[in-house]
Amino acid sequence: LIDAPLPCVLHKTYSSITGELIETSPYLVYWNDGTSTPPSPPPFDGRVVLLEPSEEEEEELLFIMLLCGAGLFLLVMLIMCRVWQQNKSMKTLLQDKVDKAAALNLEAPFTRTIKMLHQLGEGKYVSRDDALKLSFELLNTMDLMQPDLRSALAHCDFNDNIRQFLVQATSRPAAHTQFYSQASFTSINISASNSASSEQGNERDEVKRIGSFCSSMEMGGSAAHHVSKQRKVHSEELRVLNSDLRLQRKPFLPYQMLEKMKLGVSFSFNILAIPDVCSQGPLLNCTMFLMQKHDLPTKLLLKKAKLVAFLTEVEAGYDPGNPYHNNAHAADVMQRLTTMLTAGLRPIYPTLLSDIEFLACILAAVVHDYAHPGKNNAFLINTTDPLAQTHNDKHVLENHSVSACLRLLSRPQTSFTERLTAQDRKSLRATVINMVLATDMAEHFRAVGQFGQKLAPEDIEGAHPLSADKKQILMEMAIKVADLGHTALPQVAHVTWVEGLQEEFFRQGDVERKLKFPISPLCNRKKFRNGPAAGENQMGFFEVICKPMLTSWTERFPACSPLEQQLAANFDYWTKESKSKNDPKDRSYQDLLGKMACDVPHEEFLDLED
């Protein structure tokens, strides 16, 4: 080759995927003198040379690392401060609720009088102001066992809805305000002649009559026409349903399944977890299982066939359309009461209750809400329902339930107690009546006050047996604890029962709205944020009703302390729910969402209450 320079020969490399030009490099051209264009790189000798960073680069790297560490530390501190603030605010809220609950005076005038006399007898000082205040209360009260709940709740931060509900629910019938107009429901009132029927079918007719009356209110039709039509439809559906169940389902649940679910053993037993695979309902299954487990039919010579017939009739009287007061609720109360008496009392006090008293407790729980129409006593009283007229406005639903079920015991087909002595039958009847009447919320403070005042822990632990009066007080308190015992169930089951109760309340409010009556407290569906499932309302119910009652019970029967512990856990849940839904920053936005969800014209919200 000549020494003259040659034109540069290029080597172009293209991507095999995109076709784009990646690299352009010249070919090596070797000359006669051994050189090349461009020069070839020196041969690789296998050594790797690491280039150390300069001082400036080291300083920059160190500065970046310090900056990242400081930012991470600051972020962790901010998160910890936020968590600490939330915990502090929650503890402050809980402590405020505890302090207010402790300051809530729910003692009846009778209880306070006894305490003051004890203080004087022990030589302790009693101020003149306290004595005068108590004297005025004794002169002005109509019931020594009923605290002045309206005055006590005036100093609490409960909303008006829960205040009105608590006062109305725990008031005697004479205190109910007759705010329903007589002319507004004369066209829908059912005559007394329609409710009169033969004794054989009277109980079942009463159930259908009450349900038909309430249904006619919702549908706006004629009540008398709707009653007769509803009875025919119901009887036909019941016949078809029973025949279908007999073909497809087993008659009873296997007892091994109920034993595995710890029925009668665990306080957290969930009646709603029983599978719907048998033709008989939970009330019959659970009652027969527990009665045979404790050998009551053998000990008391009960006729099992008639007992099954009686329980079947009672369970059929519970309206399955009620979201709360249904046969599952009756079975839940019955199994909890039995667990309290067996797991909570009998291991420590085996002779506290006799077998006939144990049977009376089970029977009272089974029938305590029989034929419940899904409306409360105040509704029946204020609408002058025939049931309220029959029972003179006193314990209307409770009187009807116990009287209808006790009439079943006089029938030849269902008289499973006919082998008992006359004295035992009389005692059984009296105990069941008193226990069922005690489930009326109007008797709450009387029952709790008598239990706390007349049944001291030393009376139970003493060697002498309890008197008949004290036993009756104990059993009345026991069924009250069992009746409200869903508040001591695990959270999921408890919330499920509360939601069912809220729906039942709302249905009563729907009927009252249809009739243009004032809507009862906690029954307004259009203001659903103030329903029973609202955290603030549940907190008020727990503080006023449930916690004092359960505390008094567990003080005398410590084996039932799991109920109180779960109640405290549920109270904490509702406290957190109340705080999360009542944050002042979000109140206006949540109110707007609530009104939008109601799907009603906004003019209906422009009233005095809002």
Side-chain angles (χ1 to χ4, degrees):
L1 295 177
I2 59 177
D3 294 336
L6 295 177
C8 183
V9 182
L10 299 180
H11 174 221
K12 298 182 180 180
T13 304
Y14 295 89
S15 172
S16 60
I17 299 176
T18 62
E20 297 178 354
L21 180 64
I22 298 177
E23 181 182 6
T24 301
S25 60
Y27 282 105
L28 293 177
V29 179
Y30 293 92
W31 308 99
N32 292 333
D33 58 359
T35 60
S36 62
T37 304
S40 59
F44 179 66
D45 58 0
R47 293 181 299 176
V48 178
V49 180
L50 297 179
L51 299 178
E52 296 183 358
S54 62
E55 293 183 358
E56 294 181 355
E57 292 176 342
E58 289 182 351
E59 291 179 356
E60 292 179 357
L61 182 61
L62 181 61
F63 176 75
I64 293 174
M65 293 175 63
L66 291 176
L67 186 62
C68 293
L72 182 61
F73 177 77
L74 183 61
L75 179 62
V76 172
M77 291 300 297
L78 289 175
I79 294 175
M80 292 180 63
C81 290
R82 180 60 178 172
V83 172
W84 178 79
Q85 289 178 355
Q86 290 181 348
N87 290 338
K88 183 178 179 181
S89 61
M90 184 62 65
K91 289 181 179 179
T92 303
L93 178 63
L94 292 176
Q95 188 61 39
D96 291 342
K97 296 296 182 182
V98 171
D99 294 341
K100 291 177 181 178
L104 186 62
N105 186 6
L106 298 176
E107 291 183 340
F110 174 80
T111 305
R112 295 173 59 192
T113 303
I114 296 299
K115 286 186 176 182
M116 185 171 292
L117 292 176
H118 279 305
Q119 291 179 356
L120 292 174
E122 296 173 358
K124 296 181 180 179
Y125 173 75
V126 176
S127 66
R128 182 184 179 187
D129 293 340
D130 292 341
L132 288 175
K133 183 178 179 181
L134 181 59
S135 300
F136 282 119
E137 288 185 11
L138 292 174
L139 292 173
N140 294 326
T141 186
M142 298 296 294
D143 188 353
L144 293 178
M145 299 304 300
Q146 188 80 3
D148 187 3
L149 190 60
R150 192 182 301 274
S151 300
L153 296 179
H155 305 288
C156 300
D157 59 348
F158 301 151
N159 58 48
D160 293 337
N161 288 280
I162 189 62
R163 282 199 190 99
Q164 295 174 8
F165 170 76
L166 292 172
V167 172
Q168 183 187 44
T170 58
S171 299
R172 296 295 177 88
H176 290 313
T177 304
Q178 299 289 339
F179 50 74
Y180 295 172
S181 171
Q182 291 288 339
S184 59
F185 59 84
T186 52
S187 61
I188 60 173
N189 199 3
I190 300 177
S191 63
S193 60
N194 289 339
S195 63
S197 59
S198 63
E199 185 175 346
Q200 294 291 331
N202 184 59
E203 293 83 0
R204 187 66 60 84
D205 290 342
E206 284 295 320
V207 181
K208 308 303 178 297
R209 185 193 62 76
I210 297 174
S212 302
F213 171 73
C214 297
S215 300
S216 65
M217 301 301 98
E218 298 168 0
M219 299 177 63
S222 172
H225 171 72
H226 192 76
V227 168
S228 59
K229 181 179 179 181
Q230 185 74 6
R231 286 178 182 172
K232 294 179 181 179
V233 173
H234 182 84
S235 60
E236 180 64 21
E237 290 179 350
L238 187 62
R239 184 185 63 79
V240 175
L241 178 62
N242 286 339
S243 61
D244 182 64
L245 289 175
R246 292 190 186 98
L247 293 175
Q248 298 183 9
R249 299 182 179 183
K250 298 179 180 180
F252 291 99
L253 283 171
Y255 281 179
Q256 293 80 1
M257 177 187 298
L258 298 178
E259 286 182 353
K260 189 175 182 180
M261 297 176 68
K262 296 183 179 181
L263 174 61
V265 178
S266 173
F267 288 109
S268 60
F269 175 81
N270 183 11
I271 197 72
L272 300 177
I274 294 181
D276 186 22
V277 296
C278 64
S279 60
Q280 307 298 338
L283 184 59
L284 173 60
N285 275 280
C286 295
T287 306
M288 288 300 299
F289 171 80
L290 292 174
M291 290 184 71
Q292 293 191 26
K293 178 180 179 180
H294 298 287
D295 205 19
L296 287 180
T298 303
K299 293 178 180 178
L300 299 176
L301 303 177
L302 305 178
K303 293 188 175 182
K304 292 185 180 180
K306 293 187 176 183
L307 175 60
V308 171
F310 172 82
L311 294 174
T312 303
E313 285 289 330
V314 172
E315 185 154 25
Y318 280 92
D319 187 356
N322 287 340
Y324 182 83
H325 290 101
N326 47 40
N327 58 339
H329 168 68
D332 183 51
V333 174
M334 184 278 306
Q335 67 85 19
R336 185 178 299 107
L337 178 59
T338 306
T339 306
M340 289 166 52
L341 297 179
T342 55
L345 272 71
R346 283 199 165 184
I348 306 175
Y349 315 106
T351 60
L352 192 61
L353 297 178
S354 64
D355 290 331
I356 195 69
E357 290 166 340
F358 188 30
L359 174 64
C361 291
I362 296 178
L363 188 59
V366 167
V367 307
H368 81 283
D369 275 331
Y370 175 78
H372 198 289
K375 311 295 183 291
N376 57 24
N377 281 334
F379 179 87
L380 301 180
I381 293 171
N382 292 329
T383 54
T384 62
D385 185 85
L387 278 182
Q389 298 178 15
T390 300
H391 300 291
N392 298 321
D393 294 349
K394 294 182 179 179
H395 314 297
V396 178
L397 292 173
E398 293 76 17
N399 267 315
H400 171 66
S401 297
V402 68
S403 62
C405 289
L406 289 180
R407 280 197 295 270
L408 291 175
L409 292 178
S410 63
R411 296 182 183 179
Q413 300 86 352
T414 54
S415 58
F416 67 92
T417 60
E418 59 185 11
R419 292 179 181 175
L420 297 177
T421 63
Q423 182 61 33
D424 285 343
R425 287 198 301 269
K426 181 179 178 181
S427 174
L428 178 71
R429 176 183 174 86
T431 303
V432 170
I433 291 174
N434 290 330
M435 290 184 67
V436 174
L437 295 184
T439 60
D440 188 355
M441 283 301 297
E443 296 293 318
H444 175 80
F445 290 110
R446 180 199 62 80
V448 175
Q450 284 187 345
F451 180 79
Q453 188 64 38
K454 297 184 179 182
L455 203 65
E458 53 268 18
D459 294 336
I460 301 175
E461 298 172 359
H464 300 287
L466 291 178
S467 63
D469 293 339
K470 290 186 177 181
K471 280 188 177 182
Q472 187 63 49
I473 293 173
L474 185 148
M475 289 185 286
E476 291 178 7
M477 183 69 168
I479 196 172
K480 286 198 66 64
V481 174
D483 193 18
L484 299 176
H486 73 86
T487 57
L489 283 175
Q491 177 183 322
V492 175
H494 163 58
V495 173
T496 302
W497 282 112
V498 172
E499 290 175 349
L501 181 63
Q502 175 171 262
E503 176 59 27
E504 194 166 296
F505 276 28
F506 284 166
R507 291 183 183 181
Q508 175 177 322
D510 295 341
V511 176
E512 292 171 334
R513 182 181 295 106
K514 184 76 174 180
L515 300 175
K516 300 188 183 304
F517 291 162
I519 300 179
S520 300
L522 306 185
C523 295
N524 195 342
R525 189 187 298 273
K526 294 182 180 180
K527 301 182 184 300
F528 62 94
R529 292 181 62 249
N530 286 326
E536 184 178 358
N537 295 335
Q538 280 296 314
M539 289 171 59
F541 186 74
F542 273 53
E543 291 179 352
V544 176
I545 302 296
C546 301
K547 292 176 70 176
M549 175 187 65
L550 207 51
T551 300
S552 181
W553 178 264
T554 53
E555 285 177 354
R556 290 154 180 81
F557 303 105
C560 298
S561 58
L563 293 173
E564 187 177 18
Q565 296 170 3
Q566 186 60 49
L567 182 82
N570 291 335
F571 180 78
D572 293 341
Y573 164 77
W574 291 116
T575 301
K576 295 176 182 178
E577 284 291 306
S578 174
K579 178 175 175 57
S580 62
K581 294 182 179 180
N582 291 309
D583 192 342
K585 295 181 296 183
D586 301 330
R587 183 179 297 274
S588 59
Y589 175 69
Q590 291 182 358
D591 286 343
L592 177 61
L593 290 181
K595 294 179 180 181
M596 292 172 61
C598 291
D599 194 23
V600 295
H602 73 280
E603 289 82 6
E604 296 192 20
F605 292 97
L606 302 178
D607 53 16
L608 182 60
E609 183 178 353
D610 285 327

